[in-house]
């Protein structure tokens, strides 16, 4: 099921919200969570029996290991073995069903080994539960409190329902965000959990409608003009420099509005149930560099990768550098540079095992290393002392936008050859033909310019809703929206009409709902 399907928006979601609040009123908090689990099962069922079975088995295995780590096993060696075993099961499951056929294809194996579609959401719920196991191993207070009722038969049943709701909550199940137990658990343990509040419905509806508009109107509108260009390149048909430029710039905005639109809808749907999820986007296309970009783009993945990849590698490298007496660039090579490059390779391969993603990760890893070293330099510190923050922000955005745009196009390209063809088309000669006359509708570039204004001038929806606190802050980023444009939402007639207009326009564009781009990862 997709968020942009009329059935989901007009039937499934209102029914799930209504039954949820009725269950809370007549059955209590656990009954309300049971409704969430049931609704999530219905939401996930269209993806097929195998993905559903994998998800159910993963839930049970991780919950049992979590309970053992928190309450049962006391020996440290056995606890480490349990943690390692749980993580191995999680990531082996991910590797088998997501990467086995992809790696076989890269090795030019003629027939798929599994020949099954990648189970929906497997990347997200794997990391979701892997972090839970680490926190259970560390006996984090929120995890201990969440699992404290699992000592009786009724308590175990309630804990299973709560844990299933934590992992399989359908707004975050397929494309994230990746939520921590410390963020979810305290919310469902509050005495007022699932009690109907009009403001939750208002704020949730605003987020859902804004996200729907981003996806249907902006992202899919851009896709309609740039996808044909990428298809021409894949067929080997020459494209003009103007088409190549449109494909590069257009996808830069399309991917953002597609994924950001999903995240807004996910947080809005959660808000309808009285729950707050962590923020996943914070105007990332305004990033002043690659460091700032990863504090704003897919933020919940960034923090998880830091836990599982960068921090362990950096600690290992630092110990080796100290043991060998390495200083200067040699010490930095082991403690920071290699861990950073490997960190970004994992981020790239998390999306898929493709050469374009490997190149994407390498470019971003090297860029991150260079930028961190530049920011550590005396010259940059002198520059920072002599210039205003506003000037540095503008300069940073201008410097970052070109490599970000090009690496997004690399991300979109089917292979490295197609990406190189796209780049050559920017400066190459083009002869119109019947297959590709090279014409672009006159309205396209003004529409792209308007999209750029939305990205770089207007506040994002979390700034507009800042008084309502609709999301858990993942990173504390500074707003760079001009003070005069920092709009503030109020439950007034004017704001209501504006949101209704967005909804009507979005619904008028729904035809055959297209999947969210990140749904394939």
């Amino acid at each position: 099921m997709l968020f942009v399907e009329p059935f989901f928006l007009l039937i499934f979601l209102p029914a799930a919200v209504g039954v949820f609040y009725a269950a809370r009123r007549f059955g209590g908090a656990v009954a309300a969570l049971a409704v969430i689990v049931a609704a999530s099962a219905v939401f996930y069922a269209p993806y097929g029996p195998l993905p559903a079975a994998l998800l159910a088995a993963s839930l049970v295995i991780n919950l049992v290991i979590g309970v053992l780590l928190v309450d049962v096993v006391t020996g440290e060696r056995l606890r480490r073995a349990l943690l390692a075993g749980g993580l191995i099961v999680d990531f082996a499951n991910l590797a088998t069903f997501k990467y086995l056929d992809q790696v076989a294809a890269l090795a030019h194996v003629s027939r798929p080994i599994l020949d099954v579609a990648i189970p929906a959401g497997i990347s997200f719920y794997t990391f979701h539960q892997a972090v839970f196991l680490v926190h259970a191993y560390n006996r984090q207070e929120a995890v201990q409190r969440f699992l404290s009722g699992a000592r009786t038969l009724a308590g175990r049943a309630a804990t299973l329902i709560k844990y299933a709701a934590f992992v399989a909550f359908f707004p975050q199940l397929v494309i994230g965000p990746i939520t921590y137990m410390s963020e979810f658990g305290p919310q469902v343990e509050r005495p007022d959990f699932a009690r109907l509040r009009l403001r939750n419905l208002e704020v949730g509806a605003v987020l859902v409608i804004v996200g729907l508009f981003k996806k249907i109107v902006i992202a899919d509108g851009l896709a309609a003009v740039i996808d044909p260009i990428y298809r021409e390149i894949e067929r080997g048909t020459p494209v003009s420099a103007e088409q190549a430029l449109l494909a590069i710039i257009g996808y830069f905005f399309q991917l953002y509005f597609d994924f950001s639109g999903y995240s807004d809808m996910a947080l809005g749907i959660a808000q309808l149930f009285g729950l707050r999820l962590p923020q996943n986007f914070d105007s990332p296309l305004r990033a002043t560099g690659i460091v700032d970009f990863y504090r704003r783009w897919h933020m919940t993945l960034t923090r998880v990768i830091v836990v599982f990849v960068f921090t362990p590698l950096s600690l290992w490298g630092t110990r080796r550098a100290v043991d060998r007496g390495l200083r200067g660039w040699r010490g930095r090579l082991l403690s920071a540079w290699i861990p950073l490059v490997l960190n970004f390779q994992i981020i790239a391969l998390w999306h898929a095992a493709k050469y374009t993603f490997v190149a994407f990760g390498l470019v971003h890893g090297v860029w991150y290393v260079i930028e961190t070293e530049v920011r550590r330099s005396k010259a940059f510190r002198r520059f920072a002392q002599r210039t205003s923050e506003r000037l540095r922000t503008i300069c940073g955005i201008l410097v970052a936008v070109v490599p970000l745009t090009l690496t997004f196009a690399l991300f979109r390209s089917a292979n490295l050859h197609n990406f190189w063809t796209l780049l050559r088309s920017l400066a190459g000669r083009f002869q119109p033909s019947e297959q590709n006359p090279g014409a672009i509708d006159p309205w396209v570039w003004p529409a792209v310019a308007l999209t750029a204004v939305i990205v770089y001038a207007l506040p994002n929806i979390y700034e507009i809703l800042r008084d309502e606190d609709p999301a858990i802050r993942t990173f504390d980023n500074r707003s760079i929206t001009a003070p005069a444009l920092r709009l503030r939402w109020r439950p007034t007639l004017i704001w209501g009409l504006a949101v209704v207009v967005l909804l009507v326009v979005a619904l008028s564009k729904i035809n055959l709902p297209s999947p969210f781009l990140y749904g394939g990862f």
Side-chain angles (χ1 to χ4, degrees):
M1 200 178 299
L2 299 173
F3 288 175
V4 293
E5 293 178 12
F7 173 79
F8 175 87
L9 291 168
L10 303 177
I11 299 175
F12 175 83
L13 182 58
V17 172
V19 175
F20 170 78
Y21 284 111
R24 174 62 177 87
R25 179 176 178 82
F26 298 107
V30 174
L33 288 170
V35 171
I36 284 180
V37 175
S40 301
V42 173
F43 175 85
Y44 199 67
Y47 292 104
L50 176 61
L54 285 173
L55 174 58
S58 177
L59 284 170
V60 173
I61 291 170
N62 280 273
L63 177 58
V64 169
I65 294 174
V67 170
L68 292 174
L69 287 171
V70 169
D71 272 341
V72 179
V73 179
T74 57
E76 191 58 29
R77 182 175 297 178
L78 185 53
R79 294 184 75 249
R80 284 198 298 267
L82 267 174
L83 173 64
L87 294 178
I88 288 171
V89 168
D90 283 340
F91 290 117
N93 182 47
L94 174 65
T96 299
F97 287 95
K98 181 169 181 175
Y99 297 108
L100 192 60
D101 282 345
Q102 294 183 15
V103 173
L106 291 177
H108 303 291
V109 174
S110 58
R111 295 182 59 186
I113 297 172
L114 291 178
D115 198 19
V116 296
I118 298 172
I122 190 170
S123 300
F124 292 92
Y125 71 70
T126 295
F127 276 133
H128 212 102
Q129 297 188 102
V131 173
F132 166 77
L133 290 184
V134 172
H135 290 166
Y137 173 78
N138 292 328
R139 291 196 169 105
Q140 187 187 75
E141 182 182 351
V143 176
Q144 288 186 353
R145 190 166 56 248
F146 193 83
L147 299 178
S148 61
R151 296 183 177 92
T152 65
L153 184 59
R156 293 189 190 104
T159 299
L160 177 59
I161 290 171
K162 292 194 297 182
Y163 182 75
F166 163 63
V167 176
F169 187 30
F170 67 89
Q172 66 181 15
L173 176 58
V174 178
I175 317 181
I178 302 167
T179 309
Y180 290 172
M181 180 61 77
S182 58
E183 295 165 337
F184 181 86
Q187 295 187 72
V188 302
E189 292 161 2
R190 290 198 314 259
D192 62 346
F193 167 66
R195 295 193 183 278
L196 181 61
R197 292 182 65 242
L198 179 60
R199 188 53 61 88
N200 286 337
L201 300 182
E202 293 171 342
V203 173
V206 170
L207 283 166
V208 169
I209 292 168
V210 169
L212 183 68
F213 185 88
K214 284 182 179 180
K215 165 61 178 172
I216 295 296
V217 178
I218 302 179
D220 287 356
L222 288 168
V225 295
I226 67 172
D227 283 354
I229 301 173
Y230 282 100
R231 285 196 293 268
E232 294 292 339
I233 293 174
E234 290 169 14
R235 286 196 291 261
T237 304
V239 299
S240 67
E242 186 182 16
Q243 287 178 312
L245 183 62
L246 177 61
I248 292 171
I249 296 176
Y251 188 71
F252 181 62
F253 293 132
Q254 182 203 352
L255 181 61
Y256 166 70
F257 279 105
D258 188 282
F259 198 5
S260 174
Y262 177 94
S263 295
D264 291 348
M265 294 188 75
L267 269 67
I269 293 167
Q271 191 80 37
L272 295 176
F273 290 89
L275 292 167
R276 294 165 65 240
L277 297 179
Q279 186 177 351
N280 223 10
F281 283 85
D282 190 3
S283 299
L285 301 193
R286 301 187 196 181
T288 57
I290 193 67
V291 175
D292 190 34
F293 177 77
Y294 279 98
R295 289 178 56 86
R296 296 175 178 272
W297 173 276
H298 209 341
M299 298 150 73
T300 59
L301 176 63
T302 296
R303 66 179 183 178
V304 170
I305 294 293
V306 167
V307 170
F308 283 101
V309 180
F310 177 72
T311 299
L313 287 174
S314 181
L315 290 173
W316 178 86
T318 300
R319 293 191 190 100
R320 293 298 178 275
V322 170
D323 292 343
R324 298 176 183 180
L326 300 178
R327 298 179 180 276
W329 71 267
R330 292 181 179 84
R332 295 281 296 161
L333 177 69
L334 283 177
S335 65
W337 299 353
I338 291 176
L340 280 171
V341 171
L342 291 175
N343 181 86
F344 283 98
Q345 280 303 310
I346 296 298
I347 289 177
L349 292 173
W350 177 86
H351 291 89
K354 293 174 61 178
Y355 291 124
T356 50
F357 292 168
V358 171
F360 176 91
L362 180 61
V363 171
H364 278 213
V366 172
W367 182 7
Y368 204 103
V369 168
I370 293 172
E371 183 174 309
T372 53
E373 293 305 310
V374 167
R375 290 179 181 276
R376 294 178 71 247
S377 66
K378 294 180 180 179
F380 184 83
R381 288 197 292 268
R382 286 196 298 268
F383 169 75
Q385 291 171 354
R386 297 172 182 174
T387 56
S388 67
E389 188 174 54
R390 181 173 180 79
L391 176 62
R392 293 196 301 277
T393 297
I394 294 172
C395 291
I397 292 174
L398 293 175
V399 169
V401 69
V402 172
L404 279 176
T405 307
L406 291 176
T407 51
F408 272 44
L410 173 62
F411 190 91
R412 172 63 176 81
S413 299
N415 51 56
L416 293 173
H417 177 265
N418 287 359
F419 177 65
W420 178 240
T421 300
L422 184 67
L423 295 183
R424 285 190 302 171
S425 298
L426 288 172
R429 295 180 178 180
F430 173 72
Q431 296 295 329
S433 64
E434 292 183 1
Q435 291 81 12
N436 182 20
I440 292 176
D441 290 336
W443 59 267
V444 169
W445 284 112
V448 172
L450 179 59
T451 303
V453 170
I454 294 172
V455 168
Y456 289 104
L458 298 183
N460 64 45
I461 189 60
Y462 304 100
E463 293 178 286
I464 293 173
L465 290 171
R466 58 190 176 275
D467 290 344
E468 307 303 325
D469 202 18
I472 298 169
R473 293 296 297 269
T474 307
F475 294 116
D476 190 17
N477 296 316
R478 180 178 61 87
S479 171
I480 59 176
T481 303
L485 295 176
R486 291 178 186 173
L487 306 175
R488 191 184 300 266
W489 179 84
R490 290 284 187 271
T492 61
L493 178 61
I494 296 298
W495 275 105
L497 290 174
V499 171
V500 168
V501 169
L502 294 182
L503 176 62
V504 170
V505 173
L507 291 178
S508 71
K509 298 291 185 180
I510 290 181
N511 185 14
L512 294 176
S514 60
F516 288 91
L517 295 177
Y518 259 77
F521 303 123

